[in-house]
């Protein structure tokens, strides 16, 4: 479904050593590494990053569904296109 050129999902995250958290894909190895802050946001950030491929695929599905709604949902479609462009490095 995804039109982006990125490591395909699903992605997982694990915290091997405090404060290092790794995002990885089985068979591809580590995709990213981040550090948990003193505020404890690292695990929440890791969950969000690991969900990115699934979220992008969901946006494509919703955008395609909205496109079938004859004139309705144009404002939603524009924000979805902007989010997809931000995620893929494309133009909105």
């Amino acid at each position: 479904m995804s039109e982006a050129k990125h490591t395909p999902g699903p992605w997982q995250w694990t915290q091997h050593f405090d404060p290092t958290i790794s995002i990885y894909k089985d068979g591809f190895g580590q995709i990213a590494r981040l550090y948990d802050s003193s505020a404890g946001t690292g695990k929440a950030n890791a969950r969000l990053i690991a969900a990115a491929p699934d979220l992008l695929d969901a946006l494509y599905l919703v955008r395609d569904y909205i496109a079938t709604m004859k004139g309705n949902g144009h404002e939603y479609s524009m924000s979805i296109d902007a989010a997809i462009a931000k995620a893929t490095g494309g133009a909105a």
Side-chain angles (χ1 to χ4, degrees):
M1 170 73 52
S2 177
E3 299 169 17
K5 293 187 183 195
H6 58 75
T7 304
W11 295 352
Q12 298 85 30
W13 68 274
T14 187
Q15 188 163 12
H16 292 291
F17 305 102
D18 261 349
T20 304
I21 299 172
S22 294
I23 310 296
Y24 65 95
K25 162 73 175 164
D26 289 337
F28 287 89
Q30 182 172 279
I31 297 168
R33 183 179 348 177
L34 56 133
Y35 297 96
D36 202 358
S37 69
S38 60
T41 58
K43 289 179 184 174
N45 291 339
R47 285 191 298 271
L48 184 59
I49 293 166
D54 300 319
L55 293 169
L56 183 58
D57 285 344
L59 281 175
Y60 284 127
L61 287 172
V62 171
R63 182 192 64 187
D64 293 347
Y65 175 76
I66 288 173
T68 67
M69 297 172 51
K70 306 247 188 245
N72 294 325
H74 179 68
E75 65 278 3
Y76 301 115
S77 182
M78 289 182 354
S79 63
I80 289 170
D81 287 341
I84 289 171
K86 187 173 183 179
T88 62

